[in-house]
Amino acid sequence: AAIWWLSVQTSVTTALQGAMPLGMTDVGSDEFGGFLLAFVIGVTSIGASLPIGILLALGRQSDMLLIKTLCVGFIEFVRGVPLITVLFTATLLLGYFLPPQTNFDVVLRVIILVTFFSAAYLAEVIRGGLAARMAAQPRSCTPRCNPSM
């Protein structure tokens, strides 16, 4: 993915922009609505939350106290907050806490907070899978059919 964004994406976007009809104009994110808005927020946040969720799940299983405490605190705090509160915070309250010259787009703020929200839930799913694998691992390593082991 990093190779795509750093090298290939620019040339592909330039080629596609040249192939578009001349009458088409750029659409800003403030003009998004309906299906396009839901699709952009959903795909972007779920795609970005997977690596964050994996890191949070591994951090929760870590033996280092500081890493484990931070990951557990983040996951439990985010899981305890309803999604509607996260969306309200992203659209209205976050502008009050940022410096005055900061101009984040509302869609970008929602994507960032929904990414963290879904990463916390995804971390719990991954942690459950890791816990189930660790419990089943010793049974799968026992020799049953091969007496020479």
Side-chain angles (χ1 to χ4, degrees), residues 77-147:
F77 176 75
V78 171
R79 288 187 66 215
V81 178
L83 181 60
I84 190 71
T85 306
V86 171
L87 294 175
F88 177 74
T89 302
T91 56
L92 298 176
L93 296 178
L94 201 58
Y96 294 122
F97 297 117
L98 294 174
Q101 289 78 20
T102 306
N103 190 13
F104 278 123
D105 189 29
V106 173
V107 176
L108 179 63
R109 290 186 290 199
V110 169
I111 287 172
I112 291 169
L113 289 179
V114 170
T115 298
F116 288 144
F117 187 83
S118 59
Y121 277 92
L122 193 58
E124 281 299 301
V125 171
I126 293 169
R127 184 203 53 82
L130 288 172
R133 184 179 181 276
M134 296 301 175
Q137 189 67 27
R139 289 184 299 200
S140 64
C141 292
T142 57
R144 287 183 243 171
C145 299
N146 193 352

Side-chain angles (χ1 to χ4, degrees), residues 52 55-62 64-81 116-117 119-121 123-124 127:
I52 298 170
L55 290 175
L56 284 171
L58 293 175
R60 189 171 183 148
Q61 298 290 327
S62 175
M64 293 185 277
L65 184 63
L66 180 65
I67 301 295
K68 185 172 187 170
T69 304
L70 288 174
C71 290
V72 168
F74 177 79
I75 291 169
E76 294 302 325
F77 176 75
V78 171
R79 288 187 66 215
V81 178
F116 288 144
F117 187 83
Y121 277 92
E124 281 299 301
R127 184 203 53 82

Side-chain angles (χ1 to χ4, degrees), residues 9-20:
Q9 186 263 339
T10 306
S11 59
V12 170
T13 306
T14 307
L16 287 176
Q17 223 171 14
M20 279 197 256

